[in-house]
Amino acid sequence: MARTHARAPDRERVLRPARRLCPACGGAMRIRYENRRTLVTLSGIERLRLKIRRCEAPGCPRFHKPYRPEAEGALALPQHEFGLDVVALVGVLRHRDHRSVPEIHAILRARGVSIAERSVTNLLDRYDEVLATQLSDPDHLRRRLHGQGRIILALDGLQPDVGHEVLWVLRDCLSGTVLLARSLLSGTAEDLAVLLREVIEAVGIPVVGVISDGQHSIRKAVAAVLPGVPHQLCHFHFLREAALPIVEADRHAKKKLKKGVRGVRPIERMVEGRSDPDADLVRGYCSAVRSAITDDGRAPLDAAGLRLKDRLEKVAGSLERVPSKGGRRARSRGSSF
């Protein structure tokens, strides 16, 4: 449903073109009229007053064509009501933090941005278009990579939500430069081969190695486009596969440990409504146990089962020391664990 009322701006800014001479004929351009547009930014709603210059030299290729303020392009895309800072945040939340559209919408609303959920989807499309435009400049890539003489290509696909397009990212491991980012409905070997050829043609320097997660379609595409180029599994995926037996054993151990500490809620109910030191002590230990069993590590380097065992041992040790301290005063202080 269309908006039924205009946005009320919080502030106003006047923008003037920095250039005074016509870029085509070199003649003077005068300010002839003014445009206004309202932008929704992360810092509020802003009204822009744009001073428009025109060349009035007959015969000039830019005769009576508007020349708008250069700073306008750094604030928003043409004919868009949301600022580039909103577009950038939407892209980061989607592709880096893997947030869904409803989650992004809720985050923006919490930050005071008045936006519809459908507009979030539109801004995601604009973000992908801007990113693809910036990365598709071969001159920019060649200038940046010219001194290296070679690239090591990393290839991976990101799918924020099941059923959505996959964002394929090709990056140079030596410089960290993103060479190509494009969303595809499918990730077949033929589709990926097209991306590889496009990157090779754009950079203009040889690819001496490829790193990926070993997906079958990626291996076929690399073999077809870059025959003879070394292709290895990325270190993270290699470590994850190598540590899989340890991860499974740790997960099984954590499951058994959690069975032994169930029943926290009934203990909390026993002290509900009480404000004495003993009740506070019980609630503190219950919170410690609850925090321990819900805290997951990041396999394979941070074993969740070992972490749970360590934290439960600290809680148990603290509980054993409580009677030895003696008295209500010691119990009311509690223990650090």
Side-chain angles (χ1 to χ4, degrees):
M1 186 170 118
R3 188 169 58 250
T4 58
H5 61 279
R7 299 185 186 273
D10 304 323
R11 58 192 182 277
E12 186 175 78
R13 192 195 308 191
V14 179
L15 299 181
R16 293 180 174 82
R19 187 172 191 138
R20 297 174 178 271
L21 301 180
C22 176
C25 68
M29 294 189 298
R30 294 179 174 84
I31 294 178
R32 288 306 185 189
Y33 61 96
E34 178 183 286
N35 280 350
R36 298 189 181 188
R37 63 184 298 189
T38 302
L39 290 182
V40 179
T41 67
L42 295 178
S43 58
I45 302 176
E46 184 175 15
R47 171 72 55 79
L48 296 181
R49 292 175 54 194
L50 308 170
K51 304 294 185 177
I52 311 299
R53 295 184 183 273
R54 287 194 316 189
C55 178
E56 298 184 348
C60 175
R62 293 192 55 84
F63 178 67
H64 276 193
K65 290 185 178 180
Y67 188 87
R68 303 172 70 87
E70 298 86 351
E72 181 187 9
L75 299 175
L77 295 172
Q79 301 178 359
H80 278 67
E81 63 176 331
F82 293 97
L84 286 174
D85 55 349
V86 179
V87 178
L89 178 60
V90 167
V92 168
L93 292 173
R94 179 67 162 184
H95 299 305
R96 188 194 68 183
D97 299 343
H98 308 296
R99 303 280 189 169
S100 65
V101 170
E103 288 175 332
I104 297 174
H105 179 246
I107 292 173
L108 291 175
R109 294 299 297 267
R111 296 190 59 165
V113 179
S114 178
I115 186 173
E117 188 171 312
R118 183 175 59 182
S119 297
V120 174
T121 304
N122 295 335
L123 292 184
L124 281 172
D125 294 337
R126 302 294 81 74
Y127 177 85
D128 291 339
E129 291 170 358
V130 172
L131 182 62
T133 300
Q134 193 274 333
L135 297 176
S136 61
D137 183 3
D139 294 334
H140 166 75
L141 292 177
R142 292 182 182 183
R143 286 194 303 269
R144 184 160 187 173
L145 303 173
H146 176 71
Q148 291 186 188
R150 69 193 189 284
I151 62 172
I152 297 178
L153 191 64
L155 173 62
D156 197 10
L158 308 173
Q159 188 175 28
D161 291 322
V162 177
H164 286 69
E165 294 181 341
V166 178
L167 176 66
W168 289 95
V169 179
L170 287 78
R171 183 176 63 91
D172 171 40
C173 295
L174 298 179
S175 64
T177 303
V178 176
L179 308 176
L180 180 67
R182 184 169 300 164
S183 296
L184 298 177
L185 289 173
S186 64
T188 64
E190 292 76 13
D191 294 332
L192 299 180
V194 173
L195 300 184
L196 288 172
R197 293 189 183 97
E198 185 174 340
V199 166
I200 294 171
E201 182 179 353
V203 297
I205 55 178
V207 179
V208 298
V210 179
I211 299 175
S212 73
D213 60 2
Q215 184 176 319
H216 187 63
S217 59
I218 296 178
R219 287 185 289 176
K220 291 180 64 176
V222 172
V225 178
L226 297 167
V229 174
H231 181 193
Q232 77 171 47
L233 194 67
C234 84
H235 295 78
F236 173 79
H237 289 88
F238 180 83
L239 181 61
R240 187 181 65 180
E241 295 297 327
L244 187 59
I246 299 176
V247 172
E248 291 298 328
D250 179 76
R251 183 182 295 113
H252 180 68
K254 182 181 180 181
K255 186 176 181 180
K256 293 185 66 176
L257 286 171
K258 290 174 69 174
K259 287 182 179 179
V261 292
R262 287 179 177 173
V264 173
R265 185 56 185 155
I267 298 176
E268 290 177 324
R269 288 196 183 100
M270 293 173 60
V271 295
E272 282 183 353
R274 292 171 51 184
S275 58
D276 56 281
D278 287 343
D280 292 339
L281 187 64
V282 170
R283 280 192 286 266
Y285 278 110
C286 289
S287 297
V289 173
R290 189 185 302 279
S291 174
I293 63 178
T294 57
D295 188 12
D296 290 329
R298 293 179 63 87
L301 299 180
D302 189 3
L306 292 177
R307 176 189 288 188
L308 177 59
K309 178 177 180 296
D310 179 65
R311 296 183 67 174
L312 290 179
E313 287 178 346
K314 290 181 179 179
V315 172
S318 178
L319 283 169
E320 291 175 357
R321 292 192 297 270
V322 169
S324 64
K325 293 182 178 181
R328 182 179 298 275
R329 180 180 177 186
R331 290 197 301 271
S332 65
R333 287 199 305 266
S335 304
S336 60
F337 47 86

